[in-house]
């Protein structure tokens, strides 16, 4: 085949060959070559052990790392004269396998390239290019599968997923990233073995889910995630959205609605200069989870109507619980659960526009999530009734315009009472204690209700409130 190969790859191959070691470009970079894509991160495998090729990488690059040493992997970086850089990782031929009860892979070194390729996740990643000879190695038909846009394991899928259950998550991730489909035998094996994913650490599963969600086609990935049965193991709240529908209780399928919200939210992400640069993990997670409280709150009302009262509150709690189980960062957990809890907040505005006080409270409560909350709210308005859709859009446009006008007069990002804690203590002649906190909270509410006031007016309100408390 005609390859336009990175000169750095050939250079590194020559350095390994001079010392009697094999080196091959493998995995994603080879796949990208066939797809005519370029990558600055190159993965290699070698017959050499880490202690043998470490000196080669140190001399070749101007940066070196060894975080993956226990897995047989070392890395280096070389900065080019044009200001770009090439990162490489080299791994000794190996086999990753899980013991029956293990949550981490055990590493065993292999001895030849074909054995290493046979242990890779899918045929499209089981191709290699020997360097510096440029011999293309494709023992499992990866190039053909790449052309067909299918995902298939190099060996029997049950054996492959038994060796490393995380490969099942990678399958649905590649559906999202590449737009490929999973072959029937591979899909059947995933469905049969989905429970084995439970032995993999939550962090590794989470990372695959995040890659899926940040891809170009997250909806396809989520649908494959659910259809495969993997979601039942990893994220059962998502398949639970496929609520039963019957002839007596007609209502939207919540899962289908959630997929629409995800796509609409993604369409509202901005470029790098905007307030919500794409791809935004916080917004996408909130879109996926905004209705996960509905199954637990569903109630069939008289007349065939269905209600989901307080599903926002319940959903926020479920969001925190699931994200903690998947070991997400606590700040991200807080932001996503806050968005889920607030996603219905705007709806009252459509029927009766808010006072300035209510607008201030909305912005204050949303805080740094304001732009994301508005996008989630817009995305959630999936009604097919064009009149209602236009009313909602106009109401949201109007509210955002009011916020912009209020922000010209007030600093919403630093919205505080007109009197600080020290002033409150001095005016009321009090020492630090719970009373000061209550007074501060009241003055903040007064500020939100009335906008900025002068010190005389604020002091009078504080004294009035304090007198009332004593009364």
């Amino acid at each position: 085949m005609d390859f336009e190969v990175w000169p750095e790859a050939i250079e590194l191959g020559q350095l390994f060959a001079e010392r009697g070691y094999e080196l091959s470009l493998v995995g994603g970079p080879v796949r990208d070559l066939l797809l005519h894509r370029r990558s600055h991160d190159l993965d290699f495998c070698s017959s050499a052990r880490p202690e043998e090729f470490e000196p080669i990488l140190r001399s070749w690059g101007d940066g070196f790392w060894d975080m993956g040493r226990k897995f047989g992997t070392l890395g280096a970086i070389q900065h080019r004269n044009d200001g770009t850089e090439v990162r490489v990782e080299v791994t000794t031929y190996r086999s990753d396998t899980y013991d029956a009860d293990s949550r981490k892979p055990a590493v065993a070194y292999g001895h030849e390239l074909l054995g290493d390729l046979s242990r890779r996740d899918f045929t499209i990643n089981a191709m290699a290019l020997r360097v510096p000879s440029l011999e293309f190695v494709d023992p499992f038909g990866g190039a053909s599968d790449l052309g067909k846009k299918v995902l298939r394991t190099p060996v029997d899928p049950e054996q492959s997923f038994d060796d490393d259950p995380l490969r099942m998550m990678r399958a649905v991730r590649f559906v999202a990233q590449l737009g490929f489909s999973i072959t029937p035998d591979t899909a059947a094996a995933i469905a049969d073995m989905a429970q084995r994913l439970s032995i993999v650490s939550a962090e590794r599963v989470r990372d695959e889910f995040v890659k899926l969600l940040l891809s170009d086609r997250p909806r396809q990935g989520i649908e494959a995630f659910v259809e495969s049965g993997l979601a039942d193991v990893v994220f059962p709240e998502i398949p639970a959205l496929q609520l039963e529908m019957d002839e007596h209780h007609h209502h939207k399928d919540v899962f289908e609605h959630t997929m629409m919200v995800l796509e609409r939210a993604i369409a509202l992400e901005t470029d790098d200069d905007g307030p919500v640069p794409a791809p935004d993990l916080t917004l996408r997670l909130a879109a996926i989870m905004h209705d996960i409280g509905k199954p637990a709150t569903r109630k069939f009302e008289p007349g065939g109507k269905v209600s989901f009262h307080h599903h926002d509150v319940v959903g926020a709690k479920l969001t925190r619980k699931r994200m903690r189980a998947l070991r997400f960062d606590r700040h991200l957990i807080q932001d996503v659960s806050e968005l889920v809890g607030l996603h219905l907040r705007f709806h009252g505005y459509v029927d009766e526009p808010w006072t300035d006080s209510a607008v201030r409270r909305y912005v204050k409560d949303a805080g740094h999530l304001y732009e994301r909350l508005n996008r989630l709210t817009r995305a959630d308005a999936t009604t097919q009734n064009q009149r209602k859709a236009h009313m909602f859009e106009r109401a949201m446009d109007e509210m955002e315009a009011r916020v912009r006008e209020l922000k010209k007069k007030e600093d919403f990002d630093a919205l505080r009472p007109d009197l600080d804690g020290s002033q409150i203590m001095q005016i009321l002649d009090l020492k630090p204690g719970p009373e000061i906190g209550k007074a501060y909270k009241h003055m903040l509410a007064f500020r939100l209700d009335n906008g900025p006031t002068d010190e005389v007016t604020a002091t009078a309100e504080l004294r009035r409130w304090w007198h009332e408390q004593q009364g």
Side-chain angles (χ1 to χ4, degrees):
M1 291 190 176
D2 181 22
F3 290 106
E4 182 184 349
V5 182
W6 296 266
E8 294 85 358
I10 297 175
E11 177 188 7
L12 204 55
Q14 290 170 338
L15 293 175
F16 273 69
E18 288 170 3
R19 291 161 178 78
Y21 305 131
E22 296 178 4
L23 185 70
S24 295
L25 193 66
V26 292
V30 179
R31 184 186 70 230
D32 289 345
L33 277 174
L34 294 177
L35 294 174
H36 304 291
R37 298 174 179 171
R38 299 295 288 178
S39 172
H40 297 301
D41 296 332
L42 307 181
D43 296 323
F44 297 87
C45 65
S46 175
S47 60
R49 300 294 176 90
E51 64 272 14
E52 294 173 326
F53 65 77
E54 178 176 347
I56 301 176
L57 290 185
R58 286 187 178 275
S59 64
W60 174 83
D62 43 43
F64 173 84
W65 62 90
D66 64 352
M67 288 84 75
R69 185 184 293 273
K70 64 180 179 179
F71 301 112
T73 301
L74 303 178
I77 184 171
Q78 185 182 92
H79 293 89
R80 295 166 165 167
N81 292 331
D82 62 2
T84 61
E85 60 185 34
V86 175
R87 293 174 176 267
V88 305
E89 284 196 343
V90 181
T91 303
T92 302
Y93 295 150
R94 69 181 184 182
S95 168
D96 288 355
T97 60
Y98 279 78
D99 294 330
D101 300 318
S102 172
R103 293 179 67 84
K104 294 183 180 180
V107 176
Y109 289 137
H111 302 286
E112 46 93 25
L113 176 61
L114 292 182
D116 184 276
L117 295 178
S118 72
R119 299 180 182 102
R120 294 185 175 264
D121 50 10
F122 302 103
T123 59
I124 61 171
N125 292 328
M127 300 178 287
L129 188 66
R130 294 186 186 273
V131 286
S133 67
L134 300 186
E135 175 192 352
F136 179 60
V137 183
D138 183 17
F140 305 104
S144 174
D145 288 345
L146 197 63
K148 298 174 184 176
K149 295 187 176 182
V150 296
L151 294 167
R152 182 171 58 88
T153 55
V155 296
D156 182 77
E158 285 82 2
Q159 176 188 335
S160 179
F161 299 144
D162 195 56
D163 286 344
D164 185 353
L166 191 65
R167 290 169 178 167
M168 295 185 284
M169 277 297 296
R170 290 196 194 113
V172 295
R173 189 243 293 178
F174 283 133
V175 168
Q177 287 184 328
L178 301 174
F180 284 19
S181 61
I182 303 171
T183 60
D185 60 330
T186 304
I190 293 175
D192 290 342
M193 302 180 67
Q195 286 296 330
R196 184 154 170 74
L197 189 62
S198 61
I199 75 167
V200 182
S201 70
E203 291 84 355
R204 298 185 75 211
V205 173
R206 174 205 63 208
D207 289 348
E208 290 295 328
F209 183 74
V210 168
K211 290 175 184 177
L212 182 162
L213 206 54
L214 294 180
S215 70
D216 292 337
R217 308 168 187 83
R219 174 172 182 159
Q220 289 92 318
I222 293 292
E223 290 173 342
F225 184 47
V226 171
E227 291 168 5
S228 67
L230 294 173
D232 292 317
V233 179
V234 176
F235 214 134
E237 293 82 1
I238 296 178
L241 296 173
Q242 296 177 307
L243 299 178
E244 293 181 2
M245 300 175 68
D246 60 60
E247 61 182 350
H248 303 295
H249 302 291
H250 296 289
H251 59 273
K252 291 181 181 178
D253 179 271
V254 183
F255 178 76
E256 175 64 23
H257 165 74
T258 298
M259 293 299 95
M260 292 175 61
V261 172
L262 174 62
E263 291 186 317
R264 287 165 60 93
I266 291 170
L268 292 171
E269 293 173 341
T270 65
D271 59 23
D272 289 344
D273 295 327
V276 187
D280 189 81
L281 180 60
T282 304
L283 179 60
R284 295 186 184 199
L285 282 168
I288 287 293
M289 300 189 211
H290 79 285
D291 274 349
I292 64 172
K294 280 191 170 180
T297 58
R298 180 174 62 164
K299 183 179 179 181
F300 295 117
E301 305 284 1
K305 293 185 177 181
V306 181
S307 66
F308 304 96
H309 296 306
H310 307 301
H311 77 269
D312 48 341
V313 178
V314 173
K317 292 179 180 177
L318 291 173
T319 296
R320 284 191 290 272
K321 181 179 179 181
R322 179 54 51 197
M323 291 185 70
R324 284 173 185 148
L326 289 171
R327 304 289 192 273
F328 277 96
D329 172 82
R330 65 183 180 88
H331 297 294
L332 183 61
I333 295 173
Q334 179 62 33
D335 284 352
V336 176
S337 59
E338 191 76 9
L339 286 171
V340 172
L342 290 171
H343 82 275
L344 295 179
R345 180 74 172 272
F346 175 76
H347 286 257
Y349 189 101
V350 181
D351 299 323
E352 184 177 348
W354 295 337
T355 62
D356 284 353
S357 169
V359 172
R360 290 189 193 95
R361 289 179 183 278
Y362 177 85
V363 178
K364 176 67 174 175
D365 290 345
H368 69 283
L369 298 171
Y370 171 76
E371 294 287 354
R372 290 187 178 96
L373 178 58
N374 287 357
R375 282 162 173 76
L376 177 61
T377 303
R378 286 181 184 273
D380 192 30
T382 61
T383 178
Q384 297 300 307
N385 185 312
Q386 291 300 310
R387 184 183 65 83
K388 288 184 177 180
H390 289 318
M391 284 178 59
F392 189 91
E393 285 293 325
R394 283 198 301 271
M396 178 62 82
D397 291 343
E398 177 189 310
M399 191 274 291
E400 289 182 337
R402 289 178 63 188
V403 170
R404 287 192 293 272
E405 287 303 311
L406 286 171
K407 283 187 173 182
K408 291 179 181 178
K409 307 172 186 175
E410 309 174 40
D411 183 2
F412 276 39
D413 294 330
L415 200 57
R416 294 179 177 84
D418 296 301
L419 301 173
D420 61 25
S422 298
Q423 290 172 302
I424 291 172
M425 286 188 287
Q426 182 178 4
I427 293 168
L428 299 181
D429 192 23
L430 293 174
K431 295 181 179 179
E435 293 88 354
I436 303 304
K438 292 177 183 178
Y440 187 91
K441 186 175 181 180
H442 170 74
M443 293 307 297
L444 176 58
F446 180 77
R447 168 70 174 78
L448 289 168
D449 287 340
N450 298 279
T453 59
D454 56 48
E455 186 173 344
V456 173
T457 303
T459 299
E461 170 58 26
L462 176 63
R463 293 187 185 281
R464 184 205 65 76
W465 173 83
W466 181 243
H467 178 74
E468 185 179 89
Q469 296 303 300
Q470 305 307 303

